Amino acid sequence: MKKFVLSAALLLAANAVQAQSIVVGAGYADFSASDSDDQAIFSLEYQHRPFHEATRFSATWGTALSVDTDGDTHIGAGLIGTYAFADRWFAELSVMPGYYNAANNSNDLGGSFQIRSLLGVGYTLDGGNKVSVAVTHKSNASTDSSNPGVNALLVRYHFGF
């Protein structure tokens, strides 16, 4: 009986740990303002284990950091929703308000408060890790008089742990 309880506890702990992930991404950022500098962008994201799970949908909290080659930085936290729509395929949507710092004036997005939204599609690999392609948009949602925004296309790898 002890072995059964220990095995069950280890299995539950392993499943809980595997539900978290670190996501790394690289891509290209396209600023909306004509005088801005479009460039490569890199992202790092942490996704916590889901607080809600249904048949195909799960919701969780996460944080994200993005830095482009010019040094423009955004860090945010918010909600992430994932929908499994086919065998191993999934769609991901997130909204993360946060802090933005423009490294130069040409990439100013109209203030330090910016909301990053993401829409992605991905595939779960045999080992449980995932690959995805995502489009992000950062904007201040017109909370400032200037709201040029920036869009990015990212290729991402999700490390489950």
Side-chain angles (χ1 to χ4, degrees):
M1 182 65 166
K2 277 185 181 180
K3 287 183 182 179
F4 174 75
V5 171
L6 181 60
S7 296
L10 289 173
L11 182 61
L12 288 173
N15 284 339
V17 171
Q18 293 254 346
Q20 300 177 74
S21 61
I22 298 290
V23 183
V24 294
Y28 188 74
D30 179 22
F31 287 80
S32 298
S34 60
D35 62 339
S36 60
D37 299 322
D38 300 342
Q39 54 208 298
I41 188 168
F42 305 94
S43 68
L44 178 64
E45 190 169 326
Y46 167 74
Q47 297 180 352
H48 197 267
R49 67 179 167 267
F51 63 81
H52 172 76
E53 291 182 283
T55 305
R56 293 182 170 264
F57 177 78
S58 66
T60 189
W61 298 102
T63 60
L65 168 70
S66 64
V67 180
D68 63 32
T69 51
D70 212 21
D72 304 316
T73 307
H74 178 266
I75 186 164
L79 287 170
I80 303 165
T82 305
Y83 181 79
F85 61 87
D87 184 43
R88 296 189 183 199
W89 288 93
F90 65 92
E92 180 181 350
L93 178 69
S94 68
V95 177
M96 295 192 186
Y99 173 77
Y100 175 77
N101 181 53
N104 64 50
N105 289 337
S106 64
N107 290 349
D108 181 23
L109 296 179
S112 58
F113 174 74
Q114 299 293 319
I115 301 170
R116 187 212 74 176
S117 53
L118 177 144
L119 177 61
V121 63
Y123 184 78
T124 304
L125 304 171
D126 286 337
N129 291 336
K130 302 172 183 177
V131 292
S132 67
V133 174
V135 175
T136 66
H137 176 74
K138 288 184 201 89
S139 118
N140 62 35
S142 296
T143 59
D144 197 288
S145 59
S146 173
N147 186 21
V150 60
N151 300 310
L153 178 64
L154 297 166
V155 176
R156 305 162 72 218
Y157 193 87
H158 306 237
F159 295 94
F161 65 95

